[in-house]
Amino acid sequence: MNSTKFGLLRTLAVIGKVDAQPLYLSQLPISGSLHNVVFVATEHDTVYAFDADTGATLWSVSVANGESPIYVVAMSKDGQGKYHHRLHALDVTTGSEMFSGPKEVQATFPKSGGQTTFDPGQYKERPGLLLLNGVVYLSFSSHCDGGAYTDWVMGHNQTTLAQMSVLNIGPNGGGPSIWMSGGAPAADAAGNIYVLAANGAFETTLDANGFRTRETSTTRS
């Protein structure tokens, strides 16, 4: 690449805004030919596979209704006004659902005096997904800063989509939320996961496992 060759190659038309990070796979066999493929997911819950060299649409699929994979989380609203988050595993060559998906995202977590329950209408899966050691990790920010949101990190098995773990680092209310500017959580060689939380209460009292137990003051970043 040099200054004479750098520039716009093509415009790819999609339905809805593109907030999710595109994914690129090279030399992927589709319909009997090898393609360099760019995958794009939009706010209209549509996933596209484009030929990176020609711009041709190889396939597209809607994941709004919930009826070697690529994982996406789709947020939708049903006819009764209820929100849903669903984890999909899509075949990268056809866009078809895998592993009997999609999987409805649900969770609870202990808090002072009881438990807090994941409310799909209060959250959006803003950060990218993390695939680590056979687990797909989902992390959530608030949906337009509405309601008494906190934050969630959930792990789902990569081949069954079954939920394996749930963590809420501010379960007692008042935030925080995991934003990450759309970027996925980071992980190190030891399997530790790193996220950035903001817009919430700062809890300084820790339990025996090193997690916070109550809110003491408020901070924003």
Side-chain angles (χ1 to χ4, degrees), residues 131-143:
L131 178 59
L132 178 67
N133 297 330
V135 180
V136 181
Y137 289 95
L138 294 59
S139 41
F140 291 85
S141 63
S142 72
H143 183 199

Side-chain angles (χ1 to χ4, degrees), residues 5-29:
K5 294 184 178 180
F6 181 81
L8 178 67
L9 292 177
R10 62 187 58 88
T11 299
L12 305 176
V14 298
I15 299 175
K17 295 182 178 179
V18 180
D19 283 342
Q21 294 182 346
L23 173 68
Y24 174 81
L25 291 177
S26 62
Q27 297 298 290
L28 185 67

Side-chain angles (χ1 to χ4, degrees), residues 93-116:
T93 62
T94 65
S96 61
E97 295 278 357
M98 298 180 66
F99 312 136
S100 301
K103 175 71 173 179
E104 187 89 12
V105 176
Q106 300 173 322
T108 59
F109 195 81
K111 70 174 183 179
S112 298
Q115 68 179 16
T116 184

